[in-house]
Amino acid sequence: MPFSSLSDIQSRLNNGETTAVEIAQLYLDRIAAFNSTLNAFVHLDADHVLAQAAASDAYRKEHGARALEGLPIAVKDIFCTQDGPTRCCSNILEGFEAPYDAHVITKLKEAGAVLVGKTNMDEFAMGSSNETSAFGPCRNPWDTDRIPGGSSGGSAASVAAALTPAALGTDTGGSIRQPAALTGITGLKPTYGRVSRRGIIAFASSLDQAGPMAGNVKDCAMITAAISGHDAGDATSVSDAPAIDWLAACETQDMKGLKIGKPKEYFVDGMDAAVRQSVEAALQKCEELGAEIIDISLPNTEHAIAAYYVIAPSEASANLSRYDSVRFGHRCDNPEDLLDMYTRSRDEGFGSEVKRRILTGAFTLSSGYYDAYYLKAQKVRTLIQQDFIQAFEQVDVIATPTSPIPAFKLGEKTDDPLTMYLSDIFTIAVNLAGLPGLSQPCGFASNLPVGLQWIGPAWREDTVLAAAAAYEGATDWSNQHPAEFNINGGES
Ligand code: GLN
């Protein structure tokens, strides 16, 4: 303690050394001690957390332990939860209480997890720094003048500072992997369709996918095993997804015979030199572990950002049209008529980045521009998918940096949306192709964590987890924690 893995906590619970209530209290104390510095949680009901923990202890006594029995997990404010508010960190959802749990929340509950609060995020998951949140920015535990990445910044900061041992995030263009990289933790975006999107507030429906953020590879696997699976309530949840032995994949200790692709488009001028060096060193380590590093090319990578920033806003503009203030959410005072109510409520409720996306998306979908932008972006998306399909004829898995730069200072990029968009340069293609991607820590650049990204073929999370587990086992990066939070602060 305080930096325990889910599996450590699980064994302590299983051998009766501690209880779910004790564990919950320990993390609640840490949240009480550190959240005012980090702003990782935007909603927390401590009594409700303790009640869940007590119920878990009772369940264990009577029926034995389920897969995540008594384990505390924080969830991003994008997941609908029946208990408490769900705001997507937006003012437009002021006062909103979801009538049902997201499918993944139900799954976590069924596995016995103790859900801890709602974590901070960019408004509607649009951003790379957590600065567009209506609740103010979240801070990076490694340097509180810096951003934790985004959009799942609160989940990342919570895990990096051990306010919870794990959290759920979502990833539309990198929002699990980039904040994981920038805070020195591990995050997995599963294959599109592996995890149900029902009850996850939609940003870009063809890209959104939920996944775990945790202190190590196995913890990510444990959570994904619990939340994945077909859901008839989400038409894009795949019913015959190949099954994986999630935990067995994490037992891998070497990389004998593994063919790792190193795409030249992901090692480019302009990226931070220390980031590049850390990732190159990681690949060298993989070679020592028996892997073969193969230079490959993903030639359409350069078009990924442009395609994403047409497709994602197009889908967002459609998804966000439901916020009309009629049945829920923020409504302006004294509307003159229906149109005034729509326009003023939306103007007051949405922040500027969300408005920028809605406007961009409405434009790219509008008649006369649809073919030039949206349709063209979809064609580019197909080319990007084909690049990966070809690459995976040659290699088992692809390794790249997760982010071209380490965590930047708060406010550094807020005036320049385009440079903010460029932070996602190495993560976005994975979403466009629907592939699994994982980020894990692999070093430091100016004392800030650097992330190594693994990309696998569709449905091969096991290959990704195996490579990451072998690398993790041979290095010590996952055991590094920010000194300021590596104390028993608030421990009871
Ligand atoms: N940073 C990207 C964006 O702003 C990705 C966000 C995400 O994955 N939710 O769209």
Side-chain angles (χ1 to χ4, degrees):
M1 287 291 169
F3 284 89
S4 300
S5 64
L6 286 183
S7 22
D8 287 349
I9 300 172
Q10 190 173 50
S11 13
R12 293 177 54 213
L13 286 166
N14 286 350
N15 65 26
E17 230 177 275
T18 186
T19 63
V21 169
E22 264 175 29
I23 294 291
Q25 189 59 57
L26 190 142
Y27 286 103
L28 287 171
D29 289 347
R30 288 186 64 80
I31 295 171
F34 296 123
N35 196 51
S36 54
T37 310
L38 295 173
N39 199 23
F41 284 83
V42 296
H43 175 73
L44 182 74
D45 177 348
D47 290 340
H48 180 58
V49 175
L50 291 171
Q52 292 174 72
S56 163
D57 284 332
Y59 186 97
R60 174 189 293 276
K61 246 188 213 139
E62 196 157 337
H63 308 285
R66 295 163 287 183
L68 301 173
E69 195 67 62
L71 301 178
I73 299 179
V75 305
K76 186 177 180 178
D77 196 28
I78 200 167
F79 295 96
C80 284
T81 49
Q82 249 174 341
D83 310 299
T86 299
R87 290 275 300 264
C88 226
C89 286
S90 177
N91 285 326
I92 202 113
L93 280 171
E94 193 187 323
F96 178 62
E97 302 237 349
Y100 61 92
D101 281 333
H103 184 73
V104 292
I105 298 292
T106 307
K107 291 273 221 179
L108 286 180
K109 285 182 175 174
E110 284 171 1
V114 172
L115 301 177
V116 185
K118 290 298 195 48
T119 56
N120 205 348
M121 57 182 282
D122 283 294
E123 184 180 5
F124 283 103
M126 297 172 189
S128 307
S129 66
N130 209 129
E131 291 172 292
T132 71
S133 168
F135 297 99
C138 172
R139 288 165 186 271
N140 192 320
W142 290 91
D143 176 348
T144 52
D145 289 336
R146 291 175 188 270
I147 57 100
S151 64
S152 314
S155 289
S158 177
V159 175
L163 304 192
T164 53
L168 278 195
T170 58
D171 191 314
T172 303
S175 278
I176 288 175
R177 291 159 289 150
Q178 185 257 19
L182 271 40
T183 57
I185 63 164
T186 304
L188 170 70
K189 181 201 92 75
T191 307
Y192 183 82
R194 175 76 83 183
V195 175
S196 166
R197 294 181 300 105
R198 178 157 57 101
I200 300 175
I201 293 176
F203 164 10
S205 306
S206 76
L207 301 161
D208 300 342
Q209 193 67 189
M213 304 172 82
N216 63 50
V217 176
K218 186 177 170 199
D219 287 1
C220 285
M222 279 167 71
I223 296 176
T224 319
I227 63 171
S228 56
H230 179 239
D231 168 25
D234 168 9
T236 63
S237 146
V238 172
S239 58
D240 54 355
I244 277 182
D245 189 339
W246 296 93
L247 298 185
C250 305
E251 302 302 321
T252 313
Q253 310 212 340
D254 64 41
M255 294 189 176
K256 288 205 179 75
L258 187 72
K259 291 194 169 113
I260 301 177
K262 181 184 176 200
K264 66 168 191 274
E265 292 80 4
Y266 286 68
F267 294 82
V268 286
D269 292 343
M271 62 190 286
D272 183 277
V275 168
R276 183 179 185 143
Q277 216 180 352
S278 300
V279 177
E280 302 265 11
L283 286 174
Q284 220 163 359
K285 186 84 204 169
C286 295
E287 231 170 350
E288 285 166 29
L289 292 168
E292 188 187 343
I293 311 295
I294 300 171
D295 289 321
I296 60 167
S297 171
L298 298 165
N300 291 292
T301 301
E302 59 172 322
H303 306 303
I305 291 252
Y308 173 89
Y309 278 99
V310 170
I311 293 168
S314 297
E315 294 184 17
S317 74
N319 276 326
L320 271 60
S321 63
R322 73 187 55 154
Y323 303 105
D324 57 9
S325 88
V326 174
R327 295 179 63 182
F328 58 89
H330 171 76
R331 182 181 296 176
C332 65
D333 289 335
N334 308 317
E336 276 167 27
D337 53 25
L338 187 61
L339 191 63
D340 182 45
M341 184 179 89
Y342 288 161
T343 51
R344 219 146 37 84
S345 303
R346 284 168 69 82
D347 185 36
E348 290 168 8
F350 290 131
S352 57
E353 182 58 31
V354 173
K355 285 177 186 161
R356 183 164 22 247
R357 306 281 179 119
I358 293 173
L359 289 173
T360 311
F363 176 75
T364 49
L365 288 179
S366 60
S367 115
Y369 294 101
Y370 181 92
D371 290 4
Y373 294 103
Y374 186 72
L375 207 63
K376 193 152 199 182
Q378 291 290 19
K379 289 179 180 164
V380 172
R381 183 175 188 171
T382 305
L383 294 176
I384 289 169
Q385 282 163 347
Q386 284 167 353
D387 279 358
F388 280 109
I389 289 172
Q390 272 165 15
F392 286 124
E393 282 168 9
Q394 248 187 298
V395 297
D396 303 308
V397 69
I398 293 170
T400 77
T402 309
S403 162
I405 47 168
F408 47 90
K409 287 243 163 78
L410 265 99
E412 199 179 307
K413 294 185 194 290
T414 35
D415 293 337
D416 187 355
L418 209 57
T419 51
M420 188 73 91
Y421 297 170
L422 289 173
S423 343
D424 308 317
I425 193 158
F426 296 153
T427 48
I428 266 172
V430 173
N431 301 76
L432 290 170
L435 304 177
L438 178 145
S439 180
Q440 70 180 150
C442 72
F444 288 90
S446 324
N447 298 320
L448 297 164
V450 174
L452 167 67
Q453 175 173 241
W454 294 101
I455 306 169
W459 312 114
R460 295 315 301 266
E461 285 90 343
D462 51 349
T463 310
V464 166
L465 290 166
Y471 178 74
E472 181 184 86
T475 57
D476 201 35
W477 303 116
S478 294
N479 300 321
Q480 310 295 317
H481 304 297
E484 204 183 323
F485 299 90
N486 201 1
I487 50 173
N488 290 340
E491 204 171 314
S492 56

